[in-house]
Amino acid sequence: METETEILVDNGPVQLTVSKTSPARLTALRFEGRDLLGSGGRGNYDMNNAREGDALPLPPVQNTVELRRGSDNSGDFVDIAFRYSPTNGGPFWLERHHIVRAGEPGLHLATVFQHPPELHGFRSDQHRYVFYLDPALFTHASVEDDPIGDPWRAGAAVLPTPAELAAAPMVMDATHDLSAVGSAYPRRYYTKYDWATWVKDHVVHGLYGNGYGIWCVQPNREAFSGGPVRQDLNLHQTTSRPVLLVEPHATHYGAPPVRVAAGQEWSKTYGPYFVCFTTGTDVAAMRASAVAHDHRDFHDRLALPGWVPSAERSTVDGRVDPGPAPAVAVLSDNGIDHQRTVLGYAYWADVRRDGRFSLPGVRPGTYRLTVYREGVWDDVVRDDVVVAPGCRLRLPFTAFPRSVRPLWQIGTPNRTSVEFRRGREFRQWGTSRFFAADFPDGVVYTVGRSGPADWNYLQFQRIDGVEQAPWRILFDVPQPANTATLTIALAAWGMDTARDIPPTPPNLTVHVNDTSFAWTFEPDETRGATYRSGCGGRTFRRSFPVVLRRTGNEIVLRINEGSPPELGNDLAYDAIKLELGR
C-alpha cells in the first residue's frame, strides 16, 4: 500500500514501512508479528562522500520513488526504488532499493551508482545499509571466528547492554572499559572493531535473542571494495541499541576510497544482499537457515540496472604451480594491485593443491589475475585478461616467480603479523598496554638467536603519549662486506588512534649501518587497521639496496623520524628478508 508519506509492504511473514518523506528510511519492521526495530529504531542507507574539483552544472532535480511490482516462479515481488539526482556533494545518479518477495522471511537491498562524464568528480569513503534494532530483543552477536588467531567469539556472543556501555568510560571511539559496570560480556574492553572479519570467506553475520534472529547474507561479494584481503565491520552494540551493517564499501582497514574524476564515466551495482529473519534459539540452525536461500535466478529476473544475468556470466579456469600452502586466485580491476579494486568487480577462489582454480560467475570485462600464496613473496600477476560474455575461459599455466633463498628472514609473507608476539590476540583493543612488560628493553632482534616471540605484532610510534624506541635488527654475514637487498613487507600501515588523517605524509625510516632510507606514505594510504584491532590491512612492500659489514650490522626501524608531532602511526610487519646481491 502506498500513501503520500510512506509505502507499506506485507508479504505474509514480513511487514515493513518505508518513508517517502525521509527517503528510503525503513520506519517499521515486523516479522512473525514481532516488532524488530523497537521504539526509535530504523533502517537506512548512509554514505560519506565529498566533491573533488570545481563544481559543474547539475541537471534539474528529478528525485523519484517507484513501486515496481512483478512476478517470478515463486510468486510476486515488490521493488521500492528511490532515485536521486546528482548534487554538489554527491555528483552521481543514485538508486536505493528495498525488495520483498511473497512469503520470503527477509528483504533484499541494493544500491546503484551512475556517474556520467559531464559531472564533476567525487570520492566516497563509505556507503552501507544500517539497521538500528530493538535492544530488548537482540542481545547476542554471531560472527564466525577469524581464520587466524585465537578463537573467542562464540564465548563472547552476549553483548554488553546499551546502559552498560553508557556507564562505561569511553577509551576510544566505540570502545568502552567495562571493568566497573558488571557486564556479562567476558572481555574488559568492548569495541565494535573486534567484530570485523576478512571479506574473503565471510558470508553471514547476525544478531539474535529472545527467539528471533536477523542475518545479513552476502554470498555475492563481487562489488565489495578491496577484494578478498579487505576487512570490515559487521555489527556492534551502541549506547542506545544494537546495529547490523550491510557494508560493501568502506576504507576502515586500508581499502582505498571510490574516486571518480570529472569527465569519467562510471557505474556500479552493489548487491542485491539478503537480510533474513529467523525464529528459534539454536544459533547454528538460524545461521544455516539464513544462508540456505538461493537467489541467483530471482536476481536475474529482478534485472536491476547494471546487473548481469547468469547466462552472460563466465567461468575462468587457470593453473599455477602446485603447493601445499594455501593460495588464492583473484580477478580484479585491470592494471592495479588487486587490494585497490574499488571501481570495478572482483572474484576470488582458493587454489586447489594441484594448482588449479576456477572462478565462476564473472561479469564480462578486462581484468588483472593475481594469485598469492602463503609463504611466497612474489605473486603471479597477469593483466589484460579479457572475459567475454557466457563463456568458459581457460588461462595458460603461469608459474610463480622464482625467488632467491634469503640470507635471513623474519616472519612469513602471509599478509598478517599473526605469527609474532601477541599476534594471535589481535582482535582486542589496546594491546599497547602489554608492550612494556613484553619488551622492557624494546625490540632488539638478533638474527640466529631470536624468534617470532621476540618481534611484536605491532610497532607503536607512541604509547600513552611517550615516544617509543626504534626497533633494531642485529646480524653478521658469513662472508666479507657485500652488497645486499633488504625487503620489508608491511601487513598494515595505520593511524595510532581514531582521528582525522593529517595531510603531512608519514614515513618509516630504515637505517642500515651508515645509510638511511625514508619510506614515505601518502596520507590517504594511512587508515585505521592497527587501532581497529587488526594484525593486517592494506599491505605494502619495498626493497632497499644496502652495504654490509662482516660483523656488527644493524638495521634500525623508526616511525616518523623527523616528522611533525601531529603525525602518529602504528604498523604491522608481514615479513622482512635480506638477500645477498642486488
Side-chain angles (χ1 to χ4, degrees), residues 253-397:
Y253 286 83
V258 170
R259 263 205 165 99
V260 179
Q264 181 178 0
E265 186 169 7
W266 174 74
S267 64
K268 189 168 180 178
T269 299
Y270 295 84
Y273 307 115
F274 184 52
V275 179
C276 184
F277 313 123
T278 60
T279 57
T281 57
D282 184 332
V283 62
M286 287 194 289
R287 285 177 64 96
S289 172
V291 299
H293 297 271
D294 187 345
H295 295 112
R296 285 172 293 185
D297 290 345
F298 171 60
H299 291 163
D300 286 349
R301 291 189 293 272
L302 182 63
L304 290 176
W307 179 257
V308 174
S310 300
E312 297 178 20
R313 292 173 179 258
S314 300
T315 296
V316 178
D317 298 324
R319 186 167 65 91
V320 295
D321 314 75
V328 181
V330 187
L331 285 175
S332 59
D333 285 355
N334 194 41
I336 62 171
D337 186 344
H338 66 94
Q339 63 186 335
R340 296 186 61 84
T341 290
V342 292
L343 295 182
Y345 300 89
Y347 306 87
W348 56 88
D350 290 329
V351 178
R352 300 193 295 270
R353 292 191 65 164
D354 64 0
R356 299 181 186 275
F357 60 87
S358 185
L359 298 159
V362 178
R363 291 167 172 257
T366 302
Y367 296 92
R368 164 175 284 191
L369 170 70
T370 304
V371 185
Y372 61 89
R373 173 170 283 152
E374 185 174 325
V376 176
W377 280 85
D378 295 305
D379 301 335
V380 169
V381 177
R382 180 189 184 97
D383 279 322
D384 302 319
V385 175
V386 179
V387 179
C391 72
R392 186 152 204 141
L393 176 63
R394 291 177 171 84
L395 300 176
F397 171 83

Side-chain angles (χ1 to χ4, degrees), residues 445-464:
Y445 189 99
T446 302
V447 173
R449 295 208 305 267
S450 301
D454 300 304
W455 193 264
N456 200 52
Y457 90 103
L458 294 182
Q459 182 176 359
F460 308 102
Q461 180 182 346
R462 301 184 191 95
I463 296 176
D464 295 331

Side-chain angles (χ1 to χ4, degrees), residues 376-491:
V376 176
W377 280 85
D378 295 305
D379 301 335
V380 169
V381 177
R382 180 189 184 97
D383 279 322
D384 302 319
V385 175
V386 179
V387 179
C391 72
R392 186 152 204 141
L393 176 63
R394 291 177 171 84
L395 300 176
F397 171 83
T398 307
F400 277 92
R402 290 182 173 272
S403 59
V404 177
R405 183 180 178 86
L407 180 64
W408 53 257
Q409 181 171 302
I410 300 173
T412 300
N414 58 11
R415 301 178 180 270
T416 78
S417 59
V418 70
E419 67 266 39
F420 300 127
R421 177 75 71 89
R422 301 283 178 183
R424 295 187 61 83
E425 308 165 32
F426 65 96
R427 288 283 189 221
Q428 61 176 309
W429 176 83
T431 54
S432 60
R433 66 188 186 275
F434 306 128
F435 186 76
D438 288 345
F439 295 93
D441 301 317
V443 173
V444 181
Y445 189 99
T446 302
V447 173
R449 295 208 305 267
S450 301
D454 300 304
W455 193 264
N456 200 52
Y457 90 103
L458 294 182
Q459 182 176 359
F460 308 102
Q461 180 182 346
R462 301 184 191 95
I463 296 176
D464 295 331
V466 178
E467 201 80 19
Q468 298 298 293
W471 289 17
R472 300 165 62 209
I473 304 171
L474 309 177
F475 64 99
D476 300 329
V477 294
Q479 57 194 68
N482 208 331
T483 57
T485 299
L486 175 70
T487 301
I488 300 176
L490 301 184

Side-chain angles (χ1 to χ4, degrees), residues 91-397:
F92 43 74
W93 296 91
L94 178 68
E95 293 186 13
R96 290 170 165 167
H97 294 261
H98 294 80
I99 303 151
V100 182
R101 300 173 77 187
E104 191 172 61
L107 72 153
H108 303 255
L109 302 167
T111 307
V112 182
F113 288 82
Q114 293 180 317
H115 179 271
E118 64 269 17
L119 295 181
H120 52 266
F122 74 95
R123 63 175 285 159
S124 178
D125 284 344
Q126 181 180 43
H127 64 80
R128 60 187 185 173
Y129 195 95
V130 187
F131 288 91
Y132 298 88
L133 299 161
D134 183 353
L137 183 63
F138 296 107
T139 54
H140 290 66
S142 178
V143 180
E144 76 276 11
D145 276 306
D146 288 302
I148 58 173
D150 295 331
W152 61 274
R153 283 179 172 151
V158 58
L159 294 170
T161 67
E164 288 167 353
L165 288 189
M170 180 181 286
V171 295
M172 193 183 75
D173 76 308
T175 305
H176 298 260
D177 183 352
L178 301 173
S179 60
V181 299
S183 176
Y185 191 68
R187 293 178 148 202
R188 173 176 174 177
Y189 296 98
Y190 175 82
T191 175
K192 67 181 182 181
Y193 302 118
D194 287 354
W195 293 89
T197 55
W198 272 275
V199 167
K200 177 180 174 291
D201 296 315
H202 180 65
V203 174
V204 59
H205 57 269
L207 294 159
Y208 66 96
N210 299 286
Y212 290 84
I214 179 171
W215 309 91
C216 171
V217 186
Q218 45 202 29
N220 179 1
R221 287 150 287 161
E222 64 182 9
F224 273 55
S225 300
V229 297
R230 173 183 151 210
Q231 299 170 73
D232 220 325
L233 312 181
N234 299 297
L235 52 82
H236 58 94
Q237 182 67 282
T238 73
T239 55
S240 61
R241 61 187 60 250
V243 168
L244 184 79
L245 304 175
V246 184
E247 190 158 273
H249 170 65
T251 59
H252 293 122
Y253 286 83
V258 170
R259 263 205 165 99
V260 179
Q264 181 178 0
E265 186 169 7
W266 174 74
S267 64
K268 189 168 180 178
T269 299
Y270 295 84
Y273 307 115
F274 184 52
V275 179
C276 184
F277 313 123
T278 60
T279 57
T281 57
D282 184 332
V283 62
M286 287 194 289
R287 285 177 64 96
S289 172
V291 299
H293 297 271
D294 187 345
H295 295 112
R296 285 172 293 185
D297 290 345
F298 171 60
H299 291 163
D300 286 349
R301 291 189 293 272
L302 182 63
L304 290 176
W307 179 257
V308 174
S310 300
E312 297 178 20
R313 292 173 179 258
S314 300
T315 296
V316 178
D317 298 324
R319 186 167 65 91
V320 295
D321 314 75
V328 181
V330 187
L331 285 175
S332 59
D333 285 355
N334 194 41
I336 62 171
D337 186 344
H338 66 94
Q339 63 186 335
R340 296 186 61 84
T341 290
V342 292
L343 295 182
Y345 300 89
Y347 306 87
W348 56 88
D350 290 329
V351 178
R352 300 193 295 270
R353 292 191 65 164
D354 64 0
R356 299 181 186 275
F357 60 87
S358 185
L359 298 159
V362 178
R363 291 167 172 257
T366 302
Y367 296 92
R368 164 175 284 191
L369 170 70
T370 304
V371 185
Y372 61 89
R373 173 170 283 152
E374 185 174 325
V376 176
W377 280 85
D378 295 305
D379 301 335
V380 169
V381 177
R382 180 189 184 97
D383 279 322
D384 302 319
V385 175
V386 179
V387 179
C391 72
R392 186 152 204 141
L393 176 63
R394 291 177 171 84
L395 300 176
F397 171 83

